[in-house]
Each structure stands twice: as structure tokens, then as C-alpha cells.
Amino acid sequence: MIYSQHRFQIVLIIIIFVVLVITFYFSRVRRRYSQTVVLSSSIILVSLLGVSFFYNSGTDGKVIALLLLSMMVYFMTTTHILTYIVMAIHLVCVIVILTLQYYHPDWIVTYPTGKERLIDNFSSVFFIIIIMYFVLDVVRKEFEKERENIRTKNLYLEEKNQLIQDLLKELNHRVKNNLQVISSLLSLQAYRTKNPEAITALQEGKNRLLSMSLLHKKLYQDNFFNQISVSEYVKDLIDHSLAHPDVSFDIHTEIEDIMLTADQAVPLGLMLHEIFSGVIRPLYDSFDTDRRIEIRNDVNFNRISLSIVFYKLRSAGSMSGNKKTLSTELIDILIKQLDGTLSIVETDEPSTEINIRFNIKY
């Protein structure tokens, strides 16, 4: 009798294994994942485990744990209402077999010898391994699917980013070309004008356009598109604004290289251009050989301080006096755009130090 019961238990394990393999084949290999397959396999599996409960020492055996493992597998592989149906089937089975054990304890069959219990333990371990394989396979497949989705999204974002970069590059290039066209028109107009004041005004406007053109040129050449290196930009502005065929300057720069957005680089560049060419350069005597300029900056968190020192030169009230010129009015407007401050300090050397402070925006 014991042998026949033991053989029946082995037959149940084999049938459970076959059900799991068939379910795995149709749902994961053939991709025929349907509610019919899930419900049929869960009902068959729960029924077989329920019968096995009575041939496996009842609550002293491992069937309850196996039912919970089975419920976990279906919970991970089903969606929406089907998940709740399958979970309900497992829970009903657990309640039914526990109730039957309580009212009919004589239905529970235990193995009288250690050999039968050892075989039962091996079969339970084998069943758990099979279930865990299904669980890990589901997790691995879902992980690979999610990783593939992320890879696809990354490729899509890279393509969009490249498209945006190309558009920004083309935009900056066109802005630079348009500014150069306007600059050429101003030069042509200055050539045809006889009024010296008009010629000077047109030339100043042309120089301001060139400083903006320089910014957009660096934006599309450096592949940052919306940010520009302060160190390189200031050096290029110096070369542009202080260029003179007969007057040279001894320039020393100590500028920490930081990045500024185009919204801040444009007013800063125009301001430096006005300081160098519109305010300071005319004050130097063409026969003065000591034209030393020091430019340095200091960055404290998101606060930048740019210091420009002109040695052997006093501003003569050109920036701080009551008399306002177009350059000084532009500087006032531009410092307000940066939401910063500008201060002028004069010493006995003589020298003039201009300090520009503003917050960096990212």
C-alpha cells in the first residue's frame, strides 16, 4: 500500500512537470500567451498540487510552499484581471485543502520510513528548481526587454539630439553670416557718406556687430551650440576690440575657463567691446609706450567677478562722470541685462580698475 502511494506521488510530480513544460513552451517559446493557456495551466497545476497535498504529509509537507511559489510565478507572468483570477484560484485551493485536513485528518498519508521521505524531499527540491527556473527566466526576459527598450530610446534620443545640434549649428552659422552681411552694408554706407560723425557712428556699429558675429562663430565651431568658453571669448574680443595698426597693448590675462550661456555671453561681449574700444582705447595717447592691461576673473560658486586693470591711465570721468556717451549708456544697459554690478576704482599709479560681477546662469 505504501509503495503504491509512493508511486502515485511520483506520477503526480511527473504530470506537474509536464504541465509546466507545456505551459512554458506555449507561452514563452511559441509566444501563444493567452488567457486560455494561463487559466488551464493554473487550474491543472493547482488541482495536482491539491491532490499531492494529501500524499505529502499535509501541512507537514511542502505543498503549501509550492502553491505559494506557483502563485508567485503566475503573478509575475500575468497582467490585469487575469492576475487576480489566478491568485484567487491558488488561494481557494489552499483554503480548501487546509479545511479538508482539519475535518478529515485521516486522509493525510505520511511516509513511514526515511527512504520515502528522502525521495519526497528530492522531488520537492526538483519542483522548486523548475519553478525558480521559470521565475528567473521571466525576470531575465523582462530585464532584456526593458534593456532593449532603453537602448532603443537612447538611440532615438541621440538621433534627436544630433538633429537639434545640427539645427543649432546651422542657426548660429546663419546668424553669423547675416551679421557679417549687415556689417558689410554698414561699411558700404560709411564709404558713401561724407559726414565724419556719420562715418564714425557707422564704424562703431559695424564693430559691435563683429563682436556678436564672433560669438556665433565660436558657438557653431566649438560644438557647444549654447555655451561658450569665457577664456577664449575674452581673448578673441581683446584681439578684435584693441586691434590698431599704430597702437599696441601689453595685455596679461589670468582667466579661469568657465562656460557661459549665449544669453549672458552676448551682453558681456558687447560690454567688453565698449570698454576696450569705445571708452578706454581713445584715452591712451598714441605716443604712450606703456599701455599695460591686466584681465583676471574670480569664480565663487555661481558668482563671477571679472576685473580689468588699465595701468598708466585714468578714466577721466569717461565712465563714472555725469557726461554720458553712447558707449557708457550701452554699458549701463548691458550690465542690467546681466543683472550684475559694475564698479570703477582709480589709484595713484595712475591706473583704472573696472570690476564686473554677475551670477552665472546654467
Side-chain angles (χ1 to χ4, degrees):
M1 180 66 179
I2 295 298
Y3 175 74
S4 62
Q5 292 171 346
H6 172 64
R7 183 172 58 185
F8 182 68
Q9 178 71 0
I10 294 176
V11 171
L12 286 177
I13 293 173
I14 294 173
I15 295 174
I16 292 172
F17 175 74
V18 171
V19 171
L20 289 174
V21 171
I22 294 174
T23 305
F24 179 81
Y25 174 76
F26 279 102
S27 61
R28 308 300 295 183
V29 179
R30 297 295 297 274
R31 302 293 180 182
R32 294 183 179 178
Y33 188 80
S34 64
Q35 294 185 354
T36 303
V37 173
V38 173
L39 286 176
S40 302
S41 62
S42 62
I43 292 173
I44 295 173
L45 185 62
V46 166
S47 301
L48 293 173
L49 286 174
V51 174
S52 178
F53 173 81
F54 297 98
Y55 290 89
N56 198 281
S57 301
T59 52
D60 294 332
K62 304 171 183 62
V63 173
I64 297 296
L66 296 178
L67 279 169
L68 294 177
L69 278 174
S70 174
M71 186 173 64
M72 180 182 69
V73 173
Y74 282 101
F75 178 80
M76 296 179 63
T77 55
T78 56
T79 57
H80 305 301
I81 189 64
L82 189 60
T83 302
Y84 300 103
I85 295 175
V86 173
M87 290 179 64
I89 292 172
H90 283 78
L91 291 176
V92 168
C93 177
V94 171
I95 294 173
V96 169
I97 60 178
L98 290 177
T99 304
L100 289 175
Q101 180 184 9
Y102 178 78
Y103 287 104
H104 301 281
D106 55 304
W107 289 7
I108 304 300
V109 177
T110 59
Y111 290 111
T113 65
K115 178 180 178 181
E116 283 79 8
R117 182 163 294 277
L118 178 63
I119 294 174
D120 178 65
N121 288 334
F122 272 118
S123 62
S124 298
V125 170
F126 176 75
F127 185 75
I128 292 173
I129 290 174
I130 295 298
I131 289 184
M132 292 308 299
Y133 171 78
F134 292 156
V135 172
L136 293 176
D137 179 76
V138 170
V139 172
R140 180 177 60 85
K141 293 290 179 60
E142 292 299 324
F143 175 76
E144 291 178 353
K145 182 180 178 180
E146 187 65 26
R147 186 168 59 181
E148 183 63 28
N149 290 337
I150 293 174
R151 188 183 298 110
T152 302
K153 290 180 180 179
N154 287 338
L155 290 175
Y156 173 76
L157 291 176
E158 288 177 1
E159 292 176 357
K160 296 288 287 185
N161 184 53
Q162 185 62 45
L163 177 60
I164 292 173
Q165 288 183 355
D166 292 340
L167 290 174
L168 287 174
K169 185 174 182 179
E170 181 64 21
L171 176 62
N172 286 318
H173 184 65
R174 289 179 180 271
V175 171
K176 168 189 165 290
N177 290 341
N178 290 337
L179 290 173
Q180 288 180 336
V181 169
I182 298 174
S183 176
S184 300
L185 292 174
L186 290 176
S187 297
L188 181 61
Q189 186 65 38
Y191 176 77
R192 300 183 61 181
T193 302
K194 303 301 182 181
N195 190 329
E197 293 183 358
I199 293 174
T200 301
L202 290 170
Q203 187 62 38
E204 289 177 354
K206 173 187 174 182
N207 290 333
R208 294 183 182 106
L209 286 174
L210 288 177
S211 67
M212 296 176 63
S213 175
L214 177 65
L215 168 68
H216 287 280
K217 178 182 178 181
K218 294 191 69 63
L219 282 174
Y220 81 79
Q221 283 184 343
D222 294 344
N223 292 327
F224 286 108
F225 306 109
N226 193 41
Q227 288 187 320
I228 190 169
S229 168
V230 171
S231 176
E232 295 180 4
Y233 186 41
V234 169
K235 290 177 182 177
D236 289 343
L237 279 172
I238 292 172
D239 295 338
H240 165 67
S241 302
L242 295 179
H244 195 281
D246 301 322
V247 180
S248 61
F249 294 87
D250 182 18
I251 301 172
H252 299 269
T253 59
E254 295 181 6
I255 302 177
E256 182 180 348
D257 195 13
I258 60 173
M259 304 300 292
L260 283 183
T261 63
D263 292 338
Q264 290 189 302
V266 169
L268 177 63
L270 287 173
M271 188 189 313
L272 293 177
H273 172 76
E274 295 302 323
I275 291 174
F276 290 140
S277 62
V279 177
I280 299 299
R281 190 175 67 180
L283 297 178
Y284 277 105
D285 192 293
S286 59
F287 298 101
D288 189 359
T289 57
D290 189 7
R291 307 184 194 92
R292 186 163 179 262
I293 302 175
E294 287 187 359
I295 305 172
R296 57 183 179 270
N297 71 340
D298 180 58
V299 181
N300 186 11
F301 296 102
N302 65 333
R303 184 79 173 174
I304 181 173
S305 175
L306 185 64
S307 177
I308 310 169
V309 182
F310 302 89
Y311 289 95
K312 303 296 182 182
L313 176 68
R314 286 190 179 277
S315 64
S318 60
M319 293 185 64
S320 56
N322 294 325
K323 184 180 179 181
K324 290 288 185 178
T325 64
L326 177 59
S327 292
T328 54
E329 290 178 358
L330 281 175
I331 291 173
D332 290 340
I333 295 172
L334 294 168
I335 196 67
K336 290 179 182 178
Q337 287 185 10
L338 284 174
D339 196 19
T341 60
L342 184 146
S343 61
I344 303 173
V345 180
E346 296 184 353
T347 64
D348 297 330
E349 292 191 30
S351 67
T352 298
E353 180 177 353
I354 301 175
N355 293 310
I356 301 171
R357 297 180 179 88
F358 61 94
N359 290 327
I360 302 173
K361 298 179 181 179
Y362 298 98

